[in-house]
């Protein structure tokens, strides 16, 4: 199997056509796409390797270090994804440059580690399963928006030893390359023998690691350093959050509809009418849709746009209740609603779910006011 490294997962169409021709010659026209955003050509005869290398080099696709620390995974991010907050590719490109200037001394030691960068919490680059992961976000400083990264550390995809990374701290995106260097220095200083990076990080623990990152959380004023207010790869642009933008992410294949409380109110009205006419099952379903339509409004403001009512209630719990923005009494609301609407419909149950829908509507309006005033 021959791995062809595709820098940050992007390949131009003319190179892709040439690569298709190469696969005809060397791997029977078969090519696989990997989760590291590279290509793999299977079943290449060993004696064909020099000729294959030369063919790849001729089309500028013979980059070394596929699937190693240097080979960073990044999602489309804010460049082309409508949900993206920061430019994952911009940061990945910056780190790729640093690999030969600033991070080169660590390349051998860190060879098997992975950096993965997602432009938002949806984690399409799987940053939660990376040794060092970044998740795009934003911070407000003096009324200006600063691109930021939530830093994750210690995650791996290692079969039975697969681990989720620990979320640590939000730092301005400008400091993300310094964070990578800091982790590598820590690893160099603290590792005992052949100890794996993840185990060292686990041993040091989240409180210590958060302390180590503290120096990178400072955001200078715009006058002191305007670069903190720009994203990597977008140095000439003002950073701002965008909504309602179409993009290449799978989410864009469904119609974009901005959720409003009016939608929720229509469902509530219908649920009341159906209850009045004794159609308890239909009333319960309308109430469920009212819950989801209400919760969708503040979620959308946080750039979370779930596809189904079930996902919306799950995200409501995850992104609003668990973060403390919604009342803790809603902690198990997704499972509670799912459970209730599958029960035998009765008047009492329909009234109960309607009351829940009405309360979630008020709660979502309260959260929305807080979010828009923040
Ligand atoms: S939705 Fe996925 S592809 Fe889009 S920015 Fe978020 S993580 Fe990246």
């Amino acid at each position: 199997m021959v791995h062809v490294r595709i820098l940050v997962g992007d390949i131009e169409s003319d190179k892709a056509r040439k690569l298709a021709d190469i696969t005809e010659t060397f791997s029977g026209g078969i090519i696989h796409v990997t989760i590291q955003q590279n290509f793999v050509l299977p079943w290449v005869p060993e004696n064909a390797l020099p000729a294959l290398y030369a063919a790849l080099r001729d089309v500028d696709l013979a980059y070394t270090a596929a699937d190693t620390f240097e080979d960073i995974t990044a999602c489309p991010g804010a460049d082309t994804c409508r949900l993206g907050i920061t430019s994952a590719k911009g940061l990945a490109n910056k780190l790729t440059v640093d690999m030969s200037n600033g991070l080169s001394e660590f390349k051998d030691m860190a060879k098997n580690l992975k950096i993965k960068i997602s432009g938002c919490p949806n984690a399409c680059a799987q940053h939660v399963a990376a040794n060092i992961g970044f998740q795009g976000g934003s911070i407000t400083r003096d009324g200006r928006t600063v691109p930021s990264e939530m830093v994750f550390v210690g995650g791996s995809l290692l079969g039975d030893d697969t681990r989720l990374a620990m979320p640590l701290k939000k730092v301005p995106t400008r400091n993300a390359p310094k964070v990578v260097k800091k982790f590598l220095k820590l690893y160099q200083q603290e590792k005992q023998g052949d100890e794996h990076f993840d185990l060292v990080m686990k041993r040091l623990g989240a409180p210590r690691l958060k302390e180590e990152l503290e120096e990178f959380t400072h955001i200078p004023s715009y006058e002191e350093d305007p670069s903190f207010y720009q994203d990597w790869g977008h140095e000439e642009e003002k950073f701002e959050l965008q909504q309602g933008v179409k993009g290449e992410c799978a989410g864009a294949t469904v119609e974009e509809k901005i959720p409003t409380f009016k939608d929720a109110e229509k469902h509530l009205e219908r649920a009341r009418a159906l209850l009045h006419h004794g159609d308890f099952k239909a009333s319960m379903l309308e109430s469920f849709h009212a819950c989801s339509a209400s919760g969708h409004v503040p979620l959308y403001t946080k750039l979370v746009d779930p596809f189904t009512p079930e996902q919306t209630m799950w995200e409501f719990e995850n992104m609003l209740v668990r973060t403390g923005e919604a009342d803790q009494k809603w902690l198990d609301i997704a499972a509670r609603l799912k459970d209730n609407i599958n029960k035998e419909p009765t008047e009492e149950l329909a009234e109960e779910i309607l009351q829940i829908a009405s309360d979630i509507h008020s709660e979502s309006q309260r959260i929305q006011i807080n979010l828009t005033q923040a």
Side-chain angles (χ1 to χ4, degrees):
M1 307 238 283
V2 174
H3 289 248
V4 181
R5 183 176 167 197
I6 305 296
L7 293 183
V8 210
D10 280 340
I11 183 167
E12 298 87 350
S13 55
D14 62 328
K15 274 193 195 175
R17 287 193 184 89
K18 287 172 187 161
L19 181 60
D21 291 341
I22 292 173
T23 63
E24 292 290 345
T25 312
F26 293 94
S27 62
I30 296 173
I31 193 163
H32 301 294
V33 183
T34 76
I35 207 156
Q36 294 295 125
Q37 303 178 322
N38 291 326
F39 288 125
V40 167
L41 275 58
W43 310 114
V44 180
E46 224 172 300
N47 60 8
L49 290 179
L52 172 56
Y53 179 74
L56 289 171
R57 199 184 44 205
D58 285 350
V59 295
D60 195 23
L61 282 174
Y63 295 105
T64 56
D67 229 1
T68 70
F69 179 63
E70 291 177 59
D71 193 5
I72 297 165
T73 310
C75 78
D79 291 277
T80 53
C81 172
R82 71 185 177 124
L83 301 177
I85 304 172
T86 55
S87 172
K89 283 179 189 293
L91 176 56
N93 285 329
K94 160 67 182 154
L95 288 170
T96 302
V97 171
D98 287 1
M99 288 295 169
S100 38
N101 180 17
L103 294 176
S104 53
E105 60 174 301
F106 304 105
K107 277 199 287 198
D108 269 353
M109 177 189 76
K111 198 167 152 200
N112 296 321
L113 304 185
K114 298 278 185 298
I115 300 178
K116 294 174 188 262
I117 308 166
S118 301
C120 85
N122 284 335
C124 296
Q126 302 189 334
H127 63 270
V128 287
N131 306 105
I132 301 174
F134 292 109
Q135 169 188 302
S138 70
I139 303 173
T140 305
R141 166 81 152 83
D142 300 336
R144 292 178 194 266
T145 312
V146 179
S148 74
E149 304 292 336
M150 184 71 191
V151 179
F152 286 72
V153 76
S156 313
L157 290 169
L158 296 172
D160 288 345
D161 203 14
T162 290
R163 285 181 284 262
L164 273 181
M166 294 181 262
L168 292 177
K169 253 187 195 303
K170 234 183 194 187
V171 300
T173 297
R174 213 31 56 175
N175 280 342
K178 290 183 189 156
V179 167
V180 173
K181 196 165 183 175
K182 179 76 181 190
F183 279 135
L184 296 177
K185 273 194 173 159
L186 260 181
Y187 180 41
Q188 200 173 44
Q189 287 160 8
E190 303 280 348
K191 82 181 176 106
Q192 295 166 1
D194 289 339
E195 203 180 9
H196 190 278
F197 176 85
D198 294 348
L199 299 181
V200 174
M201 295 300 137
K202 199 171 162 192
R203 179 162 57 73
L204 295 178
R208 159 87 190 271
L209 294 172
K210 284 182 185 173
E211 247 174 62
E212 296 282 352
L213 294 187
E214 192 56 40
E215 62 177 307
F216 304 115
T217 56
H218 171 70
I219 303 167
S221 71
Y222 184 77
E223 290 68 30
E224 283 171 303
D225 190 346
S227 73
F228 274 75
Y229 298 77
Q230 294 148 351
D231 206 352
W232 289 109
H234 296 265
E235 278 71 13
E236 304 308 317
E237 298 161 30
K238 179 180 166 212
F239 176 76
E240 54 194 354
L241 301 184
Q242 299 186 359
Q243 290 193 14
V245 181
K246 298 282 181 197
E248 73 174 274
C249 183
T253 59
V254 294
E255 187 192 358
E256 173 101 8
K257 186 172 176 297
I258 297 176
T260 65
F261 285 118
K262 268 204 165 40
D263 301 333
E265 282 145 23
K266 276 187 202 152
H267 286 297
L268 278 173
E269 269 168 34
R270 272 188 232 135
R272 279 189 203 106
L274 288 160
L275 178 63
H276 179 74
H277 290 289
D279 192 343
F280 305 132
K281 178 80 191 165
S283 170
M284 284 156 60
L285 277 175
E286 283 296 337
S287 294
F288 176 57
H289 283 286
C291 293
S292 145
S294 300
H296 204 154
V297 179
L299 284 170
Y300 193 84
T301 306
K302 297 188 95 178
L303 303 174
V304 180
D305 191 11
F307 299 140
T308 65
E310 290 77 9
Q311 282 176 7
T312 307
M313 293 319 298
W314 189 85
E315 291 292 8
F316 181 84
E317 230 181 87
N318 195 35
M319 304 290 297
L320 297 170
V321 186
R322 287 177 201 279
T323 55
E325 284 156 286
D327 195 303
Q328 296 304 294
K329 72 177 177 183
W330 304 115
L331 255 183
D332 61 344
I333 190 63
R336 232 163 82 200
L337 279 174
K338 194 175 164 199
D339 198 36
N340 276 342
I341 59 165
N342 286 323
K343 281 184 185 160
E344 194 59 36
T346 61
E347 182 172 4
E348 202 185 11
L349 192 56
E351 276 173 355
E352 188 190 325
I353 302 180
L354 180 57
Q355 186 57 50
I356 292 175
S358 171
D359 290 350
I360 287 190
H361 179 249
S362 312
E363 180 75 340
S364 299
Q365 283 181 317
R366 185 188 65 76
I367 301 166
Q368 179 68 2
I369 291 170
N370 288 346
L371 287 174
T372 47
Q373 283 177 349

